[in-house]
């Protein structure tokens, strides 16, 4: 898929394929690079190859070359130090690794050959290495077909401009790239360390029209960036994903960008894209249950958990990754849901649950209450280890400008006392400047001890 | 009261304040089970005291007999 777009099909040669603050690349340059790499890496044909994958034209050129060479490609996060990457590559029995030179500025890859390579799968595959909550990465093997099936080609010549907010080597980042490149668009890649204001400025400068991002990404922009600047971005579509979408955020985005198409997507690394929602409402319609959806997935609820059968799912975990691929085609997502009337709402992740002296507390339910307290801009709720109660509910709050800290805490306490049960009430409240986000742009949920 | 007893008393009073309750008069021999605090309030006090003193006497799993404010303060002394 990627190799045919970049190497074979008609492309707008002079148009930018990739825009970064430093190094833009035209489609013509991307094609030339992919062409050169296909020749340079000929020895990697039909082998197990890792690539240090960063958001830059040359990574996409390398990916197109490896697709052309039908290799089993493993995508490593470019932040991983070389030694760790090689150790992981040996564990996965790869034959070679394409490492980016240190510093991140110069281009090109160096090839590290490894011993003990396992045999090739028989056709080109793409394996996504996720960090996994236990620290042991999961190796989800997709094919170019499974990755590109959710792509919906837009009208010819539209040349949409997409913002890449996700990590380029993970499922969501690959989806954004494939959708953008399938439409011969331009991928705008922000620097990793951009603050919210710089991000908004970059979106304006790069003329970004399509943004696919987490709710946390948007909350941060809406809270910290001057609305005039933000509204200057020529947005056409906002797609939310990766985290649960709540109604206040949808309403706020609608109010900020009345002309924008608003959608939220449900996808996971293993299942691929499962479904999307376009009515501007949180959750999804109960009518989605028990039928085949446009993305060819099926949903059902079992013991409060969402189960999905997806046509876009991975083939398997890599046999050398240590993960067992389940034989059943229904996949328990770990996402807890609640049916209210004709709508299904997400309650939280099974693993995010806080156990307060035996009572189950879902962080999102608490966040929903605190988020609407006057003077609260943003909030994250998490479990704090307690020697007495197992865990207690703790929260970090970003105050709106000009708030008196003690008065705000009192107000939060008051609202929580009346709206939440005793175990749900936050016992530790800390005011912070901003909420920490994970590498995937999601609100950090890890427990603290 | 000792310095540690005062520290424990302050932490307890803070909890009364966040609960929106009137603050009682606390003395070294005040019985903790008659203050109207729940077990989760007590868990909260233990975390707060750990922040202040760096100690968590309950982390060892030992079974303490705590009746008065003074009994609790001794563990942090």
């Amino acid at each position: 898929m990627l190799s045919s777009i970049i190497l074979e099909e008609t492309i707008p040669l002079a148009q930018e394929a990739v825009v970064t603050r430093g190094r833009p690349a035209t489609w013509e340059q991307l094609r030339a690079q992919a062409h050169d790499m296909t020749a340079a890496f000929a020895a990697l044909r039909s082998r197990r190859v890792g690539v240090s994958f960063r958001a830059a034209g040359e990574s996409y050129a390398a990916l197109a070359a490896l697709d052309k060479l039908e290799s089993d490609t493993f995508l490593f996060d470019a932040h991983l130090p070389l030694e760790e990457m090689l150790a992981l590559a040996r564990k996965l029995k790869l034959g070679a690794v394409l490492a980016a030179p240190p510093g991140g500025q110069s281009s090109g890859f160096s090839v590290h050959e490894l011993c003990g390579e396992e045999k090739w799968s028989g056709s080109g595959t793409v394996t996504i290495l996720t960090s996994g909550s236990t620290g042991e990465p999961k190796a989800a093997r997709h094919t170019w077909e499974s990755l590109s099936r959710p792509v919906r080609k837009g009208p010819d010549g539209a040349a949409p401009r997409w913002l890449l907010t996700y990590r380029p080597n993970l499922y969501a980042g690959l989806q954004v790239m494939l959708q953008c490149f399938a439409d011969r668009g331009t991928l705008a890649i922000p620097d990793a360390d951009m603050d919210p204001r710089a991000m908004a400025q970059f979106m304006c400068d790069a003329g970004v029209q399509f943004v696919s991002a987490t709710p946390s990404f948007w909350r941060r922009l809406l809270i910290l960036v001057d609305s005039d600047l933000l509204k200057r971005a020529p947005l056409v579509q906002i797609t939310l994903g990766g985290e649960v979408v709540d109604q206040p955020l949808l309403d706020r985005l609608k109010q900020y960008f009345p002309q924008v198409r608003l959608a939220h997507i449900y996808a996971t690394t293993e299942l691929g894209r499962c479904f999307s929602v376009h009515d501007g409402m949180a959750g999804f319609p109960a009518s989605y249950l028990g039928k085949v959806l446009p993305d060819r997935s099926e949903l059902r609820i079992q013991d409060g958990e969402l189960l999905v059968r997806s046509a876009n799912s991975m083939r398997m975990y890599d046999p050398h990754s240590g993960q067992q691929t389940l034989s059943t085609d229904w996949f328990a997502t770990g996402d807890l849901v609640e049916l209210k009337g004709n709508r299904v709402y997400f309650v939280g992740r099974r693993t995010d649950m806080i156990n307060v002296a035996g009572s189950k507390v879902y962080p999102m339910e608490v966040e929903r209450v605190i988020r609407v307290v006057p003077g609260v801009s943003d909030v994250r709720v998490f479990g704090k280890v307690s020697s007495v109660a197992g865990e207690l509910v703790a929260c970090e709050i970003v105050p709106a400008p000009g708030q008196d800290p003690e008065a705000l805490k009192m107000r939060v306490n008051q609202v929580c006392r009346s709206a939440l049960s005793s175990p749900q009430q936050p016992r530790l409240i800390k005011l912070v400047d901003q909420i920490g986000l994970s590498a995937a742009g999601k609100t950090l949920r890890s427990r603290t001890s | 009261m000792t310095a540690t007893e005062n520290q424990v008393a302050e932490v307890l009073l803070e909890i009364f304040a966040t609960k929106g309750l009137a603050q009682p008069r606390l003395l070294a021999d005040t019985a903790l089970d008659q203050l109207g605090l729940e077990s989760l309030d007590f868990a909260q006090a233990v975390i707060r005291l750990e922040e202040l003193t760096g100690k968590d006497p309950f982390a060892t799993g030992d079974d303490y007999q705590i009746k008065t404010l003074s009994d609790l303060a001794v563990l942090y002394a």
Side-chain angles (χ1 to χ4, degrees), chain A residues 356-357 384-389 391-392 410 413-414 417 422-428, chain B residues 14-15 17-20 38-44 46-48 50-51 56 58-59:
Chain A
V356 180
K384 167 103 181 158
V385 172
S386 158
S387 55
V388 177
E391 285 182 284
L392 288 180
M410 275 300 164
N413 273 320
Q414 218 169 20
R417 272 202 312 277
S422 175
Q424 289 176 312
Q425 290 165 18
R427 297 288 171 163
L428 301 133
Chain B
E14 213 177 271
I15 292 173
T18 57
K19 288 173 73 97
E38 326 165 51
S39 61
L40 292 182
D41 297 327
F42 181 67
Q44 179 180 351
V46 170
I47 286 185
R48 185 78 187 106
E50 187 189 355
E51 284 173 3
D56 183 358
F58 299 90

Side-chain angles (χ1 to χ4, degrees), chain B residues 41-71:
Chain B
D41 297 327
F42 181 67
Q44 179 180 351
V46 170
I47 286 185
R48 185 78 187 106
L49 283 165
E50 187 189 355
E51 284 173 3
L52 294 171
T53 66
K55 290 185 203 168
D56 183 358
F58 299 90
T60 57
D62 291 347
D63 199 6
Y64 296 110
Q65 275 296 312
I66 297 164
K67 290 204 166 62
T68 65
L69 190 153
S70 177
D71 294 341

Side-chain angles (χ1 to χ4, degrees), chain A residues 103-402:
Chain A
Q105 280 314 304
S106 54
S107 57
F109 289 93
S110 52
V111 182
H112 297 252
E113 288 280 347
L114 302 171
C115 308
E117 179 176 4
E118 260 301 322
K119 65 176 192 298
W120 177 56
S121 69
S123 62
T125 61
V126 183
T127 297
I128 298 171
L129 302 171
T130 67
S131 56
S133 49
T134 54
E136 189 76 349
K138 287 183 175 179
R141 181 191 285 175
H142 277 271
T143 60
W144 283 108
E145 193 207 352
S146 69
L147 288 175
S148 50
R149 196 178 297 125
V151 170
R152 303 273 174 276
K153 218 172 149 349
D156 280 348
R161 299 177 76 87
W162 281 81
L163 180 71
L164 183 68
T165 67
Y166 293 111
R167 297 216 56 82
N169 52 312
L170 301 182
Y171 186 82
L174 290 169
Q175 282 300 306
V176 167
M177 178 273 291
L178 285 173
Q179 180 66 56
C180 175
F181 285 180
D183 284 332
R184 312 297 188 266
T186 299
L187 193 60
I189 303 173
D191 297 346
D193 57 356
M194 269 184 192
D195 64 39
R197 210 200 125 74
M199 179 71 79
Q201 189 64 54
F202 177 76
M203 284 163 65
C204 294
D205 295 345
V208 166
Q209 300 164 299
F210 293 77
V211 179
S212 182
T214 60
S216 291
F217 171 91
W218 276 108
R219 279 197 203 101
R220 211 182 243 212
L221 285 190
L222 294 174
I223 291 163
L224 296 170
V225 179
D226 179 50
S227 61
D228 291 338
L229 172 61
L230 204 51
K231 287 174 181 171
R232 224 177 294 148
L235 297 180
V236 174
Q237 183 176 312
I238 292 175
T239 310
L240 299 166
E243 288 178 311
V244 175
V245 176
D246 63 48
Q247 197 60 49
L249 179 66
L250 287 166
D251 293 345
R252 208 134 165 246
L253 286 169
K254 195 84 216 160
Q255 184 197 331
Y256 253 73
F257 308 107
Q259 77 291 356
V260 159
R261 279 200 306 272
L262 205 52
H264 48 107
I265 280 188
Y266 186 91
T268 76
T269 302
E270 283 89 353
L271 293 167
R273 178 180 157 130
C274 301
F275 63 91
S276 55
V277 180
H278 301 269
D279 60 8
M281 305 287 284
F284 61 88
S287 62
Y288 281 19
L289 297 167
K291 69 175 184 196
V292 180
L293 296 169
D295 284 298
R296 293 207 291 139
S297 62
E298 292 171 80
L299 316 177
R300 64 183 164 95
I301 301 173
Q302 185 178 304
D303 299 330
E305 182 173 3
L306 182 68
L307 268 59
V308 179
R309 177 152 67 181
S310 168
N312 298 329
S313 61
M314 66 169 186
R315 287 293 162 271
M316 61 194 312
Y317 288 117
D318 187 86
H320 303 283
S321 67
Q323 286 103 33
Q324 290 286 322
T325 308
L326 295 172
S327 51
T328 164
D329 52 357
W330 281 95
F331 188 90
T333 60
D335 285 314
L336 300 167
V337 293
E338 206 173 46
L339 182 62
K340 275 190 200 157
N342 54 9
R343 200 90 185 162
V344 182
Y345 294 95
F346 290 93
V347 184
R349 299 273 310 154
R350 203 180 264 291
T351 49
D352 289 340
M353 193 196 72
I354 306 171
N355 189 331
V356 180
S359 300
K360 292 175 183 175
V361 176
Y362 297 106
M364 275 184 35
E365 288 181 314
V366 182
E367 283 173 4
R368 211 176 284 147
V369 168
I370 298 177
R371 206 182 291 288
V372 296
V373 175
V376 172
S377 276
D378 202 359
V379 59
R380 112 178 152 102
V381 167
F382 53 97
K384 167 103 181 158
V385 172
S386 158
S387 55
V388 177
E391 285 182 284
L392 288 180
V393 174
C395 72
E396 287 180 351
I397 290 174
V398 180

